[in-house]
Amino acid sequence: MNKELFNKKVEEINLMLEESFPLYSRFDKKIIESMKYSVMAGGKRIRPLIMQETYRMFKGEGSNEDTLKTFMTAMEYIHSYSLVHDDLPCMDDAERRRGKLTTHIKFGEEFGVLAGDALLNTAYELISNKMARMRDIDELRAAAKAFNVLAYNAGVHGMVGGQSLDVQSEKDDLEVGRNELDYIYDGKTAALIDASFVIGGILAGVKDNDIKILEAIGKGVGIAFQIQDDILDATGDEKTLGKDVGNDEKLDKKTYLSFVGLEQAKKDVVSYTEGALSAFDSLECEKNEFLRDLIVYLIDREK
Ligand code: GRG
């Protein structure tokens, strides 16, 4: 992975996000500040990066990226909202994220809830606002399809669904077997990663067959990413990760490692990633080497 190029692209995404928030008017300063704090507290930005690089792989660089940028922003807002809500006292009760205080610790619990609500709604507002101004029917159709993919993957059959079963496993004594674990990982982690590949493809106007391949890549990368997250929770370093580690063991939580052990989990991260890479190689387009490297980086990451 070309780290310099990665950092440059992340910096560009940070600038785009910085400029995306509503302006303060009379009484909305605190809610907008809490949204901004949650999104701008750092983060690897891998979802918007995946979306952008997938789009560019099919469309080339230098085409109009206006709509793409709106979806990248919305995706990062939704990802941030999920982290803010996941950190709340009723969920993971976390005090630190990305090396900083979590939103509810900084602004109060009510604003943890409200910042998440505001981010989710603003994400959809930004997209629908853009769509309302589209004149070209093909562009509008693609945006509607991408909007649906985003909402579906963030919702009951995606991230919220996975998180719901995860919460039940902790609070309702639901027994977690492999089927339950797969459902949790597919939803809570893979859904948004998958949607990032697919939306990049839809906005670039790719054929249905390639969309199916992008879905397969996203699923593989998403699962590998979550297993790597489990590995980092068991073996990673708090300082590097910017959050507490060893949580899964403390909470006696079933993870991928509970089923296969650490060594097999490491091998499985590699094989899921290899599966994703071979799907990537089968796409009918000139390959984006940066995107290929990004997929590999996600399993080599230390945070
Ligand atoms: C509250 C609806 C709702 C959902 C929460 C995202 C999530 C679902 C829970 C967070 C806990 C967790 C381990 C989720 C798995 C996905 C994951 C590893 C998220 C962290 O993503 P990164 O590493 O975060 O991309 P950064 O900080 O880099 O943005």
Side-chain angles (χ1 to χ4, degrees), residues 6 9 37-38 46 66 79 86 89 124 132-133 137 139 150 165 173 178 185 196 201 239 248 261 274 276 281 300:
F6 176 86
K9 287 176 188 281
Y37 176 83
S38 317
I46 58 157
D66 231 37
H79 166 62
D86 188 60
Y124 295 146
R133 287 179 289 114
I137 191 72
E139 195 193 355
L150 180 61
L165 200 64
D173 277 342
R178 266 312 294 270
Y185 285 13
S196 302
K239 227 169 159 184
D248 297 335
E274 280 172 355
D281 291 337
D300 285 339

Side-chain angles (χ1 to χ4, degrees), residues 102-165:
T102 47
T103 304
H104 70 277
I105 296 288
K106 176 97 178 160
F107 292 89
E109 190 175 340
E110 299 85 344
F111 274 82
V113 175
L114 290 169
D117 295 342
L119 285 168
L120 178 61
N121 282 290
T122 309
Y124 295 146
E125 186 190 335
L126 290 174
I127 295 174
S128 52
N129 186 29
K130 169 114 323 188
M131 287 171 66
R133 287 179 289 114
M134 284 178 182
R135 293 286 163 263
D136 181 275
I137 191 72
D138 289 333
E139 195 193 355
L140 183 58
R141 221 177 249 141
K145 217 166 160 186
F147 195 179
N148 180 254
V149 168
L150 180 61
Y152 182 87
N153 282 283
V156 182
H157 299 291
M159 183 179 71
V160 171
Q163 177 76 355
S164 299
L165 200 64

